[in-house]
Structures are given as structure tokens and as C-alpha cells.
Amino acid sequence: MAVLRIRGLALPEGDPVDLYADGDRWTSDPVPGADLVAEGWILPGLVDAHTHPGANTPGDPLDDGILRDDLRAHLESGVTLIRSPGLADDPPDWFGRSDDSPRAFHAGRWIAQHGQFAPGWGRRPDPADLPAVAAEQAARTGWAKIVIDWKAGDDIVPVEILREAVTRVHAAGGRLAVHSQHGAGGAVAVEAGVDSIEHGMGLDPALLSRMAEQGTALTPTLAAITGSLARTLANPDRARTSWYVPGASVHARLTAAAVEAGVTVLAGTDTRPHGGIAQEIRALVTAGVTPHRAIAAASWAARAYLGLPGLLDGAPADAVVYAADPRTDLSQLDKPSAVIVRGKRVAR
């Protein structure tokens, strides 16, 4: 099999590169006879940091065929790495490893409180057992995910329990993500020192500097939240009574403020159909985030947060290539000229 080669201008710096896929690793050492498959603007493979592939509707079981289709959609959009903070069940062994799958981090099944979250999904241990369950999950897969708040008025995981979960997850060598869509839940998450807050709607902007200092990331799932807000506002009666409207209405402003405060902001879609990372990047830009930073949240910055380097010698051989600079033409994100994962070009 011929060695794959790409060349062009590489982000984030825009430096010229000429890279060869030595198996699953990039090298700049020339390989005679290498197959030049793409030239243009080159990004480290895109990242969707919040996606739940494998089930069509909440509560459905994990389906192998749906999972494969979802992951293929991610690849075709340029996403070569996903983080799934919650799956309907433990994924098959090929998940994150096969040619039809992006690289993947996952948190197993969600961990939620009794009477909360989607029926049929997740585990609901007694509150005192939450830290142990989270630590066991993180020891197996590197991440655990706790739903710390759900509907308005529901109980929030107490800060002392969540702090113990953080301690035990870290002791197991993992990281802890939490679902939060209420201000009180966000405050507990920041106080406990979780590794990432998913959604973060209603988060107090005064907490952003502390998040930046302690390394708590935010995955705002902005396109999903603003899309849901638009549907809610289209029904005046529902909009008038919905708890969702106040937080969702300022979520774009919060996201932009988080970037400015130095919080690690990760691009995540949280929607079906899969493969919508370009919409999330554009939502970040619409919110006031610069195109460079918005793309970083879905590429090199997200990869760095998850422990994968970019377009360097010895780095995983993942990349997405565009004909023009996507920072000056966001429409490029919809039409990558080549997607490479594990040193192989994704057939399109």
C-alpha cells in the first residue's frame, strides 16, 4: 500500500507542511513513491466533543447499524475524533478503532439521580454511591459523566458528593464531565472542580475566571441550544412558561465570554443527524467568537485538551484538508477536499 502524503498550509500557524503517513503517525521525512492525496489548507482532524451516536431517540438501546452510520457521518464531515459523554450502552470493541470510526473517548452510560434523565438510559445509583460508580467508569474508559441537574426544581447533586466524585475519578486516572443546564448546578460543578461542564446553560459569568484557573472546560452545544430556543419561541404559550428561555437566550453571550475569559471551550453538537460540527463552529462565530478560536474549539485546541497533538512528527495521522482557508470562508467547512484518519483517506 502506498504511503499517503499531504502538503499545504497547516493551522493553527499557517506554516507550510509536507507530511507523510507512516502507518498511523505523521512524519515530515520524505517517503519515495508516496501518494499525494491532497493539497490546500490543512487542519488537525476535527473534534466533536459532545455527541451520542448509536440510538435514534432518547431511551433507545444502542444499535450497531445506527452507530456505524452515525460515526461514518462524523468522518465525512471531517471529524476524526469524538468524545461521547454518555452512550446508550457500552460500545462494541471496534468503536473508535475501525476504519469506519473516528478515534473516540467515551464515558459509558450516563450516571443520574433517581427519577431524573431519559427513561431507559443511564445508571441511577444511590447518591452516596455516585463517586464510586463514577470512579469505576473512569477507570475503564478514562471519562465518567454525571447528570447533576435535570428539570427545573429537581434536586441537584450535593457539592460534597460531586467533590468526592472528582477526587475519586482523578485518583482512578480519569476525568469527570457533568451535564448542567441550571445556574445552581453550574455553581456546584465549578465549586467541585469538575473537568468539563456540558451545556452550561444558566452558568453565572462570574464563575468563568475560576473555571479558567482550575481548568474546567465548557462544551456549550451552542447550535443545539439556540435551535431549541427558536422552536420554543415559535410557540408563544410555551415560551411564556418555559424554564428554558432565560438561560438559552443568553447562552451565546455566555459562550463568547467564556472564550474571552480563557476557559477551554470545546465544540460539541449533541444532535441528530450526526456530522454537524460545521454548524457548531458557525454558531460560535455568530456568538462573537473569532473564526480562528471557533475552529480551534473543534480542532487543535480540542485535540490538545483530549491529549492528542496536532500536525507534528509522531502525532496521530489525522487531518482534514480544505481548498481555501476556512477561517476566511466558513463555507469551506462543508466541503473538505480530503479527510484522513489513522493514515488513511476516508472514501467520500
Side-chain angles (χ1 to χ4, degrees):
M1 181 183 297
V3 172
L4 177 153
R5 177 188 179 193
I6 58 174
R7 68 185 178 197
L9 301 174
L11 293 181
E13 303 300 333
D15 295 331
V17 298
D18 197 343
L19 296 172
Y20 302 79
D22 182 11
D24 188 20
R25 291 292 182 268
W26 290 124
T27 179
S28 57
D29 296 332
V31 177
D35 183 11
L36 180 62
V37 298
E39 295 183 81
W41 285 82
I42 307 172
L43 273 66
L46 298 182
V47 180
D48 189 331
H50 189 118
T51 179
H52 308 293
N56 278 328
T57 56
D60 284 354
L62 193 71
D63 180 278
D64 190 87
I66 294 172
L67 181 61
R68 289 184 185 275
D69 289 346
D70 291 344
L71 296 175
R72 182 71 188 184
H74 279 300
L75 284 177
E76 292 181 352
S77 74
V79 168
T80 64
L81 172 65
I82 65 170
R83 182 188 59 153
S84 186
L87 288 166
D89 206 342
D90 287 338
D93 289 343
W94 57 262
F95 178 75
R97 297 182 175 87
S98 77
D99 291 345
D100 290 328
S101 173
R103 301 179 196 272
F105 294 92
H106 74 89
R109 290 185 291 155
W110 296 263
I111 304 167
Q113 300 184 86
H114 293 289
Q116 298 185 21
F117 196 51
W121 274 2
R123 292 174 287 176
R124 291 167 180 75
D126 291 335
D129 295 329
L130 278 170
V133 172
E136 180 274 331
Q137 178 65 57
R140 288 195 297 115
T141 64
W143 280 89
K145 165 82 170 291
I146 298 177
V147 180
I148 64 169
D149 60 40
W150 192 237
K151 296 179 181 178
D154 283 351
D155 290 338
I156 297 168
V157 173
V159 66
E160 61 273 11
I161 290 177
L162 192 59
R163 188 182 289 118
E164 177 65 16
V166 170
T167 298
R168 296 185 65 166
V169 164
H170 288 177
R175 291 199 269 184
L176 182 65
V178 299
H179 167 108
S180 175
Q181 292 194 112
H182 301 281
V188 165
V190 175
E191 178 66 25
V194 304
D195 295 289
S196 74
I197 298 175
E198 308 303 303
H199 315 299
M201 201 172 71
L203 188 66
D204 184 349
L207 297 172
L208 295 175
S209 60
R210 180 170 177 182
M211 289 175 63
E213 291 169 3
Q214 68 190 27
T216 297
L218 173 67
T219 315
T221 60
L222 185 56
I225 286 177
T226 54
S228 182
L229 173 64
R231 292 189 294 273
T232 301
L233 293 177
N235 182 333
D237 290 337
R238 182 182 174 198
R240 189 167 48 252
T241 59
S242 175
W243 63 269
Y244 194 84
V245 170
S249 296
V250 298
H251 198 52
R253 191 186 317 157
L254 171 72
T255 300
V259 173
E260 289 302 314
V263 175
T264 296
V265 172
L266 306 172
T269 57
D270 194 32
T271 54
R272 301 192 66 85
H274 291 267
I277 194 64
Q279 290 94 310
E280 182 66 10
I281 295 170
R282 283 193 282 267
L284 292 171
V285 173
T286 300
V289 179
T290 66
H292 184 89
R293 286 179 167 182
I295 294 173
S299 181
W300 57 88
R303 291 178 73 90
Y305 176 80
L306 292 170
L308 276 71
L311 299 169
L312 305 172
D313 277 67
D318 302 340
V320 58
V321 186
Y322 301 98
D325 186 347
R327 298 172 301 177
T328 57
D329 179 6
L330 291 173
S331 71
Q332 290 292 317
L333 296 168
D334 297 315
K335 47 188 177 184
S337 55
V339 180
I340 294 96
V341 63
R342 301 182 189 86
K344 299 177 183 178
R345 185 172 184 175
V346 176
R348 297 174 56 97

